[in-house]
Amino acid sequence: DIQMTQSPSSLSASVGDRVTITCRASQGISKYLAWYQQKPGKAPVLLMYDAFNLQSGVPSRFSGSGSGTDFTLTINSLQPDDVATYYCQNYYIAPFTFGPGTKVDI
Amino acid sequence: EVELLESGGGLVQPGGSLRLSCAASGFTFSSFAMNWVRQAPGKGLAWVTALTGAGNRAYYTDSVKGRFTISRDNSKNTLYLQMNSLTADDTAVYYCAKGRGSGTYYVDVWGEGTTVTVSS
């Protein structure tokens, strides 16, 4: 099975900072990676799919890159509303595993 | 508007069974793969199982194989999760989650979740 790791596990940054989260797959998954945002007590929300495609309605300060095994989610100009936990997910091959999450605070 | 409404969660004893349902609306249900994703208290997201739009192929995470069964009734726009031989490790919020396409499994719409507690 493909294992997903994320780094860092948590971070604290200031409003306006650029934040980068890394996700790594234990084997190549091409472009088949999604990113989600989850706020406390709420269901997750899709941010990115196919590694770098922005889901409709998601602010353009979010961007994604990578392919194969190494991926990044970048938040340009961090906003208070971005406080959340971020998860990556492999959907290249089952099981469609999630990463352990990265908690972002301000 | 696309909506997913889970039901069937509750308190069950170890070794017991429970069936979750997810009523879908606002889209052509049979055209989309569906998932169940769970989240144990204070933990991260864990993908559990997925089913193609036609209902002819299912996938499971190892820890639930042989105990959980995903199914769907496309005439009723409803997804199910039959859970047997439950243990404390199955305690979680269970989310019904719509895939982007018939065989595309990342989630573009999530339900609000239903809570399953396995305890004596």
Side-chain angles (χ1 to χ4, degrees):
Chain A
D1 294 353
I2 296 173
Q3 309 301 320
M4 307 300 293
T5 58
Q6 287 182 235
S7 61
S9 57
S10 64
L11 66 91
S12 184
S14 300
V15 173
D17 282 355
R18 181 178 184 179
V19 168
T20 298
I21 299 168
T22 297
C23 175
R24 178 164 291 174
S26 61
Q27 63 189 77
I29 60 172
S30 186
K31 64 177 182 177
Y32 300 108
L33 184 99
W35 288 97
Y36 303 89
Q37 176 194 66
Q38 187 181 32
K39 297 180 179 180
K42 300 292 187 180
V45 172
L46 176 66
L47 296 177
M48 316 285 306
Y49 61 94
D50 289 350
F52 58 84
N53 285 313
L54 193 68
Q55 171 69 353
S56 177
V58 174
S60 59
R61 63 180 179 273
F62 291 92
S63 64
S65 66
S67 67
T69 59
D70 295 315
F71 302 86
T72 59
L73 174 71
T74 300
I75 309 173
N76 284 296
S77 188
L78 187 70
Q79 299 300 305
D81 190 53
D82 301 334
V83 170
T85 300
Y86 294 83
Y87 297 92
C88 61
Q89 183 197 22
N90 141 59
Y91 57 95
Y92 177 65
I93 189 169
F96 305 121
T97 43
F98 287 90
T102 296
K103 186 175 182 181
V104 174
D105 282 326
I106 289 181
Chain B
E1 181 185 3
V2 175
E3 287 191 333
L4 301 171
L5 183 61
E6 303 96 336
S7 60
L11 175 64
V12 60
Q13 291 188 339
S17 298
L18 211 55
R19 188 176 86 154
L20 306 183
S21 299
C22 171
S25 60
F27 64 102
T28 304
F29 184 66
S30 61
S31 295
F32 295 90
M34 296 295 294
N35 301 266
W36 289 99
V37 177
R38 67 185 179 183
Q39 188 166 35
K43 302 298 185 182
L45 301 174
W47 176 83
V48 177
T49 179
L51 186 62
T52 56
N56 56 353
R57 186 161 188 178
Y59 304 91
Y60 298 92
T61 193
D62 283 348
S63 64
V64 309
K65 283 179 182 176
R67 300 190 300 123
F68 289 14
T69 302
I70 188 172
S71 62
R72 63 195 298 162
D73 185 338
N74 287 343
S75 69
K76 295 182 178 179
N77 291 348
T78 303
L79 179 73
Y80 303 100
L81 182 65
Q82 177 66 42
M83 304 185 294
N84 299 329
S85 302
L86 286 162
T87 73
D89 289 342
D90 297 315
T91 294
V93 174
Y94 284 74
Y95 292 102
C96 172
K98 172 185 168 291
R100 178 57 70 102
S102 178
T104 305
Y105 299 96
Y106 69 87
V107 177
D108 62 356
V109 179
W110 298 74
E112 291 301 311
T114 187
T115 299
V116 172
T117 303
V118 183
S119 175
S120 56

